[in-house]
Amino acid sequence: MYIFWDNSNIHYAGLNQVFPVKEPGVAREGYRTYFKGLLDLVSLGRDIDDIFFAGSVPPRNDALWNSVKRLGIIPSLLPRSVSEGEADTTDHVLQLALLRLALDHPLPDTIALLTGDGAGMNKGEGFLSDAVRLSRKGWKFEVYSWDAACNRYLRDFARNNGKYIRLEDYYENITFIVGGRQAVPLR
């Protein structure tokens, strides 16, 4: 199994669309993704061949990526554009890795996509377009996404070509609040 993790998509969709509903009145500055909990959810004890993880360079002195590195993940960190956020750079890094994986490993396996992004489909670009290409070659897909922010075509694709996992169902396992609620271990 191979994991492709779009951290910005997962984090900001959770922060902006799920957190305010699940924990109204709690300061948003304390919201965090619990990386180990999310990795445990995706792996479910299965062997992981590789993890491709991309996100933005955090603010100075932020220890965020140390927790990712402790899990054995080497993140691809990209600078934020002041004017346009990430300008899809994390998406492009992950999509390139996805296509390289398919070229380098002709025997299809399972790919877990941690994103909700279906942008670019109409132009034959993006995660969804690349996943469709690879599914035709026999690759299976699992999509882990916040339902509140997942592209409906990506969701439908996952349901028809593997499985779709709503992260809202695991909110307490994959998030925590700094100085407040701790993540609950998966059972």
Side-chain angles (χ1 to χ4, degrees):
M1 145 179 256
Y2 298 88
I3 298 173
F4 289 80
W5 188 329
D6 180 348
N7 185 63
S8 296
N9 186 280
I10 294 297
H11 176 75
Y12 288 108
L15 173 64
N16 295 326
Q17 294 176 287
V18 181
F19 165 72
V21 174
K22 294 277 192 178
E23 302 194 63
V26 175
R28 65 185 270 123
E29 294 77 22
Y31 173 87
R32 297 290 188 277
T33 302
Y34 180 50
F35 298 118
K36 182 181 182 319
L38 187 50
L39 184 58
D40 288 347
L41 172 65
V42 175
S43 68
L44 291 174
R46 298 178 286 181
D47 289 336
I48 298 171
D49 295 297
D50 209 346
I51 300 173
F52 302 88
F53 182 107
S56 298
V57 174
R60 188 178 306 179
N61 297 325
D62 191 345
L64 174 70
W65 301 124
N66 289 337
S67 60
V68 172
K69 291 174 184 172
R70 281 193 297 275
L71 295 172
I73 301 170
I74 306 301
S76 294
L77 300 178
L78 302 152
R80 281 192 167 281
S81 164
V82 174
S83 62
E84 299 179 27
E86 295 175 35
D88 295 326
T89 53
T90 56
D91 291 0
H92 292 147
V93 165
L94 291 172
Q95 290 159 19
L96 178 60
L98 183 66
L99 294 174
R100 284 180 176 163
L101 172 70
L103 289 171
D104 292 344
H105 299 279
L107 293 177
D109 200 344
T110 299
I111 294 173
L113 292 177
L114 284 69
T115 187
D117 196 342
M121 180 63 184
N122 293 335
K123 295 189 259 178
E125 300 171 354
F127 285 115
L128 180 52
S129 292
D130 293 340
V132 168
R133 287 179 181 100
L134 296 182
S135 71
R136 290 181 187 141
K137 305 284 185 192
W139 289 83
K140 299 295 179 207
F141 283 86
E142 299 174 1
V143 173
Y144 297 78
S145 183
W146 297 108
D147 206 46
C150 188
N151 178 284
R152 69 180 181 167
Y153 298 112
L154 180 63
R155 183 184 312 116
D156 291 345
F157 167 80
R159 288 179 175 150
N160 294 325
N161 294 280
K163 64 182 181 176
Y164 175 74
I165 295 82
R166 286 173 26 99
L167 293 181
E168 283 90 342
D169 296 339
Y170 301 93
Y171 179 83
E172 290 79 15
N173 309 110
I174 63 172
T175 66
F176 66 95
I177 305 299
V178 173
R181 180 187 57 80
Q182 297 297 306
V184 176
L186 280 168
R187 292 182 184 192

